[in-house]
Amino acid sequence: SDLQKQEERGELLQPLIFVLLVLCSVLLYFKVSLMDPGFVKAEEEAKAGKSEEQSMVIAQVPSHIKMRRCGYCMVKQPMRAKHCQLCQHCVRRYDHHCPWIENCVGEKNHPLFIVYLSVQLIVLLWGGHVAWSGLYFEQSWDWLQHNIFLLMSFLLIVIFTIVVLLLLMSHLYLISCNTTTWEFMSHHRISYLRHSELENPFDQGVVLNFWKFFC
């Protein structure tokens, strides 16, 4: 049959890989959106501020800067944590609340969020290539009627690709500096950063920052 001939020629391999990437993207989406991003629990208060990274930074911060208790959920916030009013929890190494996944991006799901964006970008680029290869341009009304949906799909893919690419690049830059979106945008309002002797007390070099983030 035609299907067997295509399989023998290896023509089914690329569509199969594309479908698997799409499936992987969907599974990653649900995983990142449903998992605990790093909620601070009341029973963990005793451990707050005792990690190696936090101990290193505390030495750079004046002694009068104390870790505060959250005014919303009343737990003692570890360094780099922030309360999310949408999730109604304090989140460790809070980055931002993502409306795409309806969940916070924090200590536990941030690395997986980067993997999700990477897979999503590959799918969009591949889909854009497929859509573009199916377009042939003619200056006629009939051509537009027959290709309007394909053209709109291509334009949407281009828009989403640009958004995902910019988002991924910005996150990779922040990871290379060992900072978060919240810390980057609100540096002047965060006491342990505003009063620190260093501009970014968490930065340990690009290689080590990436290693500690992903590993």
Side-chain angles (χ1 to χ4, degrees):
S1 66
D2 291 339
L3 193 62
Q4 287 177 329
K5 291 178 181 178
Q6 286 180 327
E7 185 179 1
E8 289 172 0
R9 292 196 298 264
E11 294 176 0
L12 295 180
L13 183 60
Q14 286 191 358
L16 179 61
I17 294 174
F18 181 76
V19 170
L20 290 175
L21 281 172
V22 172
L23 180 61
C24 180
S25 175
V26 173
L27 293 175
L28 282 170
Y29 172 82
F30 283 109
K31 177 65 176 176
V32 174
S33 62
L34 296 175
M35 72 182 295
D36 176 1
F39 294 135
V40 180
K41 299 177 176 60
E43 60 268 21
E44 296 176 349
E45 283 192 28
K47 300 178 183 179
K50 291 188 178 180
S51 71
E52 178 186 347
E53 183 180 62
Q54 291 179 3
S55 299
M56 177 191 70
V57 177
I58 288 172
Q60 307 291 339
V61 178
S63 58
H64 66 276
I65 304 298
K66 305 296 183 183
M67 297 299 100
R68 67 191 185 96
R69 190 172 291 276
C70 177
Y72 295 97
C73 53
M74 301 310 293
V75 298
K76 189 174 181 180
Q77 287 183 335
M79 194 174 287
R80 312 192 79 177
K82 183 183 180 295
H83 184 86
C84 176
Q85 296 192 30
L86 294 172
C87 291
Q88 294 297 310
H89 283 285
C90 285
V91 180
R92 292 180 178 276
R93 202 181 182 279
Y94 175 86
D95 189 87
H96 71 288
H97 183 92
C98 181
W100 288 16
I101 63 174
E102 279 299 319
N103 193 12
C104 280
V105 176
E107 184 179 73
K108 290 185 177 180
N109 67 346
H110 199 172
L112 208 58
F113 181 72
I114 300 300
V115 175
Y116 163 68
L117 288 179
S118 302
V119 174
Q120 190 69 40
L121 182 61
I122 294 171
V123 170
L124 286 167
L125 289 171
W126 197 334
H129 171 71
V130 171
W132 177 259
S133 64
L135 286 172
Y136 60 96
F137 294 96
E138 293 180 7
Q139 294 182 350
S140 67
W141 179 248
D142 288 338
W143 176 89
L144 186 62
Q145 282 184 316
H146 285 92
N147 292 273
I148 185 66
F149 290 111
L150 187 58
L151 188 60
M152 288 177 63
S153 299
F154 177 73
L155 292 175
L156 281 173
I157 288 172
V158 169
I159 292 170
F160 284 126
T161 300
I162 292 172
V163 171
V164 172
L165 179 62
L166 291 175
L167 188 59
L168 180 60
M169 288 176 62
S170 65
H171 274 276
L172 290 175
Y173 168 74
L174 293 175
I175 293 166
S176 72
C177 302
N178 196 0
T179 189
T180 64
T181 302
W182 172 59
E183 290 171 341
F184 182 79
M185 301 294 292
S186 306
H187 189 281
H188 61 287
R189 295 193 292 112
I190 302 172
S191 58
Y192 60 81
L193 293 179
R194 189 173 69 246
H195 298 287
S196 172
E197 297 174 4
L198 303 174
E199 184 177 352
N200 180 11
F202 300 105
D203 189 5
Q204 295 179 279
V206 176
V207 175
L208 196 56
N209 289 340
F210 272 107
W211 176 263
K212 288 197 169 186
F213 180 83
F214 287 105
C215 305

